[in-house]
Amino acid sequence: MENRNQIIADGLQSMGIAHLTPMQNEVIATIEGSNQVVVLSPTGSGKTLAFLIPIIHQLKSNAGFIQAIIITPTRELALQIEQVFRHLKTGFKVVCCYGGHPFWIEANSLKEPPAVLVGTPGRIADHIRRGTVVPESITFLVLDEFDKCLELGYSEEMEQVIGSLESLHKMVLTSATDAVNIPPYVPIDNPTRISYLKETDQEERLSIKIARAKHHDKYGALVDLIAQLGDTTMLIFVNHRDAADRLSALLLEDEIISDVFHGGLEQSERERSLIKFRNGSIKILAATDLAARGLDIPEIEYVVHYQLPEQEDAFIHRNGRTARMKANGCAILLLAEDEEIPRYIDSDYETIEIVENMELPPAPEWMTIYIGAGRKDKISKVDIVGFLIQKGEIEKADIGRIDVLDKTSFVAVKRHLANDVVKKIRREKIKKQTPQINLSW
């Protein structure tokens, strides 16, 4: 166990984590001492590490079968959990399964069973039905964001998956809300509950403001608001996919660098949007409520409700994207002239006046370069840095965040250099390959 603890400590250090939080330490100790645990903690508080570390502690080396399964409601959350597990560098195999990803690729990866399986309910149920996942050996189950996993649309798949876990010994349910009943097909009885929801000081760090459009021009008011807020990160929420698409198109027409995120996009498009948002190539993202839960999008300064949700729960989760991890944040309700304030908004808010015709903020400092090769092509971050310095003739300081996926990579470089760098490296080899390279607009 000491060796396992050292591996975890080294992995955390490589991720830039010097110490676990009190919440993480309590959750880890509780999971290791109890077979049924419900963890309620705000989004962004570090629940993923809190359940991954106990899993790692109990994994058997060279077992040859799946030992733990983590089920999440969204593809993005599944991929994030997989990425955190990989960053810990334990040597144990992990496979991530989700809809929108080719089934045959996952099936090939599962021929040599991983120690840990991460995925969405529908795709995992499909693998079990087809026999590409053998669930009888799984002893550890995590339902992450379980309130979403157990919604009506997932009930049939969840019941099938959980019912197939004949050797289930330990179960952990996590959520950022305490507003759901656990259905009877989840075999949990009198679990140990850990709640950090009331202990969070997010409400003290989150300010809620209301701005009203003039002359019935809500979009014009949004553009003025963007100019007024200046060079900052902003998540703009709407209620439907087509509204997100329309809003994104209008912003681009006005040369406001932004992107869109919703469930109707291809998985690769959603990944690309989030990568550019994280690495600073875009600072404005128009999104549906898909972006309100479970996504690792740090340091968002403003949440703008361009369209208000019908339910208070959705409003709370949208606001949870800002004022995270001790940072301050602001949620702005952008209302039409005659639009009523929802009943779930209390009267303790500030009204702000939108200033018209201010200059729009400058383009982001970074721009993203796409490279058509990734982990499975033996490409690493170190390879990409060396490639850009040698062939792209730029300094290390001009290179920002790098994301290496299975078959693709994305790297942020200084915007004023990006076009020139792409011209220099487009036909160059990296690790004896000549991948497709272009700017990711």
Side-chain angles (χ1 to χ4, degrees), residues 367-386:
M367 198 169 198
T368 298
I369 294 175
Y370 164 88
I371 300 174
R375 278 193 301 263
K376 294 196 173 179
D377 304 296
K378 309 301 182 185
I379 300 294
S380 69
K381 292 182 181 181
V382 173
D383 295 326
I384 292 172
V385 170

Side-chain angles (χ1 to χ4, degrees), residues 244-259:
D245 287 332
R246 285 198 304 272
L247 182 57
S248 178
L250 287 170
L251 291 170
L252 291 175
E253 282 180 17
D254 286 330
E255 298 184 353
I256 298 172
I257 295 174
S258 60
D259 213 328

Side-chain angles (χ1 to χ4, degrees), residues 237-303:
F237 278 107
V238 294
N239 293 336
H240 303 288
R241 298 171 179 178
D242 57 349
D245 287 332
R246 285 198 304 272
L247 182 57
S248 178
L250 287 170
L251 291 170
L252 291 175
E253 282 180 17
D254 286 330
E255 298 184 353
I256 298 172
I257 295 174
S258 60
D259 213 328
V260 64
F261 183 85
H262 59 69
L265 299 172
E266 294 291 331
Q267 178 62 26
S268 59
E269 295 175 305
R270 284 156 61 173
E271 285 178 358
R272 192 170 301 201
S273 293
L274 291 179
I275 285 169
K276 291 192 292 183
F277 198 49
R278 292 190 190 109
N279 71 20
S281 293
I282 58 168
K283 293 191 173 183
I284 298 173
L285 192 64
T288 62
D289 285 343
L290 182 65
R293 306 263 314 240
L295 299 184
D296 178 21
I297 311 175
E299 299 175 6
I300 296 173
E301 294 169 80
Y302 290 94
V303 163

Side-chain angles (χ1 to χ4, degrees), residues 165-202:
L165 304 179
E166 300 175 358
S167 302
L168 189 59
H169 177 66
K170 193 178 287 282
M171 188 173 350
V172 177
L173 280 63
T174 83
S175 179
T177 183
D178 192 15
V180 67
N181 293 319
I182 300 172
Y185 58 78
V186 179
I188 196 164
D189 179 32
N190 194 28
T192 303
R193 291 170 61 90
I194 302 175
S195 178
Y196 277 73
L197 295 179
K198 292 182 180 179
E199 296 182 22
T200 178
D201 59 347
Q202 184 191 33

Side-chain angles (χ1 to χ4, degrees), residues 135-360:
E136 288 80 9
S137 60
I138 295 171
T139 60
F140 199 133
L141 168 67
V142 176
L143 301 182
D144 196 25
E145 298 282 3
F146 73 88
D147 53 318
K148 278 293 183 185
C149 281
L150 300 174
E151 283 185 346
L152 183 62
Y154 290 138
S155 293
E156 185 177 339
E157 291 92 342
M158 292 301 305
E159 187 168 5
Q160 178 192 345
V161 172
I162 293 172
S164 69
L165 304 179
E166 300 175 358
S167 302
L168 189 59
H169 177 66
K170 193 178 287 282
M171 188 173 350
V172 177
L173 280 63
T174 83
S175 179
T177 183
D178 192 15
V180 67
N181 293 319
I182 300 172
Y185 58 78
V186 179
I188 196 164
D189 179 32
N190 194 28
T192 303
R193 291 170 61 90
I194 302 175
S195 178
Y196 277 73
L197 295 179
K198 292 182 180 179
E199 296 182 22
T200 178
D201 59 347
Q202 184 191 33
E203 290 184 5
E204 298 177 7
R205 293 180 281 106
L206 172 68
S207 60
I208 296 179
K209 301 180 180 181
I210 290 180
R212 286 197 179 273
K214 300 176 183 177
H215 319 301
H216 302 285
D217 182 10
K218 197 167 183 178
Y219 172 73
L222 175 64
V223 173
D224 286 332
L225 181 63
I226 290 170
Q228 186 172 337
L229 296 178
D231 186 18
T232 185
T233 51
M234 187 183 308
L235 192 52
I236 305 173
F237 278 107
V238 294
N239 293 336
H240 303 288
R241 298 171 179 178
D242 57 349
D245 287 332
R246 285 198 304 272
L247 182 57
S248 178
L250 287 170
L251 291 170
L252 291 175
E253 282 180 17
D254 286 330
E255 298 184 353
I256 298 172
I257 295 174
S258 60
D259 213 328
V260 64
F261 183 85
H262 59 69
L265 299 172
E266 294 291 331
Q267 178 62 26
S268 59
E269 295 175 305
R270 284 156 61 173
E271 285 178 358
R272 192 170 301 201
S273 293
L274 291 179
I275 285 169
K276 291 192 292 183
F277 198 49
R278 292 190 190 109
N279 71 20
S281 293
I282 58 168
K283 293 191 173 183
I284 298 173
L285 192 64
T288 62
D289 285 343
L290 182 65
R293 306 263 314 240
L295 299 184
D296 178 21
I297 311 175
E299 299 175 6
I300 296 173
E301 294 169 80
Y302 290 94
V303 163
V304 176
H305 300 271
Y306 189 73
Q307 294 177 339
L308 294 172
E310 294 182 4
Q311 302 298 326
E312 181 180 10
D313 185 60
F315 179 75
I316 290 170
H317 284 296
R318 287 180 178 187
N319 293 343
R321 306 319 308 166
T322 187
R324 299 175 65 196
M325 300 299 284
K326 305 300 181 184
N328 294 321
C330 180
I332 298 176
L333 286 67
L334 182 56
L335 305 179
E337 270 187 313
D338 54 355
E339 192 171 356
E340 293 185 2
I341 299 172
R343 293 180 180 178
Y344 55 74
I345 306 292
D346 62 34
S347 59
D348 187 20
Y349 56 78
E350 178 186 346
T351 300
I352 59 174
E353 192 76 20
I354 296 178
V355 180
E356 298 179 347
N357 301 318
M358 290 184 68
E359 186 176 346
L360 286 165

